[in-house]
Amino acid sequence: IIIPDSVVSIGRQAFNNCTDLQTVTLGKGINEIGYKCFSGCRIAKVEIPNTQMWFDIKFSYYGTGYDWNMSTSCNPLQYGADLYVNGIPLSELVISNTDKIQPYLFYNCKSLKTVIINGNVSEIGDYAFFGCSNLQEVKLKKNVSKIGEKVFWNCAKLKDIYIYNSDCDIRNAYETISGSATIHSYDNSSAQMYAGNYNRNFALIENMPVILGDADGDGDLNITDATCIQRHLAEIPVYEYIEEASDTDGDGQVSIIDVTMIQRYLAQLPCPEGIGKEIK
């Protein structure tokens, strides 16, 4: 099925029990997918034009507390499909330009291997990454303050999850984070408490000073930090990204101007005071 850009909504049960349906291509105009739209469909591949439109879609879930298939049947990923963005399998996902990740959003997404959540994201909804069978590494930056029910459960290959918010509200249940993962966080953090409660491997993250302009957190301010911010703004995966260090002009947001400020600092041109120094 190829849904053209002109279509904005797919109604209830539109493709219900289309058992041979294998590939779904969604146009950039889609903003709503109805209840049980893809129920009974064993879809292997979902194609979208960009990741932002995926976050903006309103999925008409029946609600939590019901049969999983019923709850996820409007999401074409539900049976373990690969998600393609502009023709490329989505294996590395950087999320920043949204406040909350919807429940079930990447449920059973088979293509994902790395997830980095930073920027304005404060909450990860229930089951958001449940069943991502190839997911190996997750990094949740300081703004992430809540992890919902079974968010990283049934992710058999998950090796490492980094939780940089010491007070993150992690759903207090054995099934929130897959047992295969080593949980990385700070001493006396909620993540350490979760790991202790459920007998999970835990590794301490060292408290390194944050240097203004050192966007990749390697302790050295150089041109790679400017590139790191550019990649972040373009939603291209980066291994490490520190929001606090990236706002070099102190205006409360990260933009291309912050890249320019780093370049000016490296060229020894006038720039905001404090760049290159530890943030108190």
Side-chain angles (χ1 to χ4, degrees):
I1 291 291
I2 299 176
I3 308 297
D5 293 342
S6 57
V7 176
V8 297
S9 177
I10 306 176
R12 293 169 58 94
Q13 302 181 337
F15 301 106
N16 185 27
N17 283 330
C18 289
T19 55
D20 289 335
L21 183 58
Q22 297 180 11
T23 301
V24 173
T25 302
L26 299 176
K28 62 184 179 181
I30 291 292
N31 56 41
E32 184 174 8
I33 297 180
Y35 168 60
K36 296 187 75 172
C37 179
F38 296 104
S39 179
C41 301
R42 302 284 176 174
I43 298 165
K45 181 178 180 182
V46 178
E47 294 207 40
I48 58 175
N50 57 73
T51 54
Q52 189 58 48
M53 65 87 67
W54 190 252
F55 294 115
D56 294 338
I57 293 175
K58 177 184 176 182
F59 290 98
S60 299
Y61 298 114
Y62 194 84
T64 57
Y66 295 87
D67 176 77
W68 290 345
N69 289 336
M70 179 181 289
S71 298
T72 61
S73 58
C74 57
N75 190 329
L77 296 175
Q78 64 178 313
Y79 289 115
D82 290 314
L83 184 61
Y84 279 66
V85 179
N86 200 22
I88 300 173
L90 184 63
S91 61
E92 297 181 306
L93 176 66
V94 177
I95 306 173
S96 59
N97 296 327
T98 187
D99 295 329
K100 177 183 177 181
I101 300 173
Q102 296 181 58
Y104 299 97
L105 191 60
F106 293 95
Y107 184 98
N108 275 345
C109 182
K110 193 172 68 174
S111 58
L112 279 180
K113 294 182 179 179
T114 302
V115 172
I116 301 173
I117 302 177
N118 49 42
N120 298 323
V121 182
S122 61
E123 182 177 345
I124 307 175
D126 298 344
Y127 295 84
F129 296 96
F130 178 97
C132 291
S133 57
N134 289 306
L135 185 60
Q136 299 174 22
E137 183 180 61
V138 173
K139 292 192 174 185
L140 310 179
K141 298 311 176 73
K142 290 183 177 180
N143 278 0
V144 179
S145 58
K146 185 175 182 179
I147 301 173
E149 181 180 357
K150 296 186 180 180
V151 170
F152 297 109
W153 188 244
N154 204 23
C155 301
K157 294 184 180 179
L158 185 59
K159 295 180 180 179
D160 298 285
I161 178 167
Y162 295 80
I163 302 176
Y164 290 94
N165 185 339
S166 294
D167 299 316
C168 184
D169 180 8
I170 305 170
R171 179 65 176 255
N172 189 19
Y174 184 82
E175 300 88 356
T176 303
I177 299 173
S178 284
S180 60
T182 295
I183 300 172
H184 301 255
S185 194
Y186 302 107
D187 194 23
N188 296 319
S189 64
S190 58
Q192 186 180 39
M193 183 178 296
Y194 176 88
N197 288 342
Y198 297 105
N199 196 28
R200 304 300 167 79
N201 292 329
F202 180 80
L204 280 175
I205 298 174
E206 294 183 9
N207 282 300
M208 294 182 62
V210 178
I211 307 299
L212 187 61
D214 181 21
D216 61 6
D218 66 353
D220 184 25
L221 182 52
N222 52 43
I223 196 63
T224 59
D225 296 298
T227 303
C228 178
I229 296 175
Q230 288 175 315
R231 288 176 65 88
H232 166 70
L233 293 173
E235 297 189 14
I236 299 172
V238 291
Y239 182 75
E240 190 68 81
Y241 171 77
I242 302 175
E243 188 87 10
E244 186 180 10
S246 301
D247 182 16
T248 57
D249 61 0
D251 66 351
Q253 60 183 359
V254 178
S255 68
I256 196 65
I257 296 175
D258 296 298
V259 175
T260 302
M261 293 302 104
I262 292 175
Q263 292 170 333
R264 291 181 65 87
Y265 171 83
L266 295 173
Q268 298 184 342
L269 296 173
C271 59
E273 185 178 356
I275 295 181
K277 298 179 181 179
E278 181 180 345
I279 300 174
K280 301 298 183 180

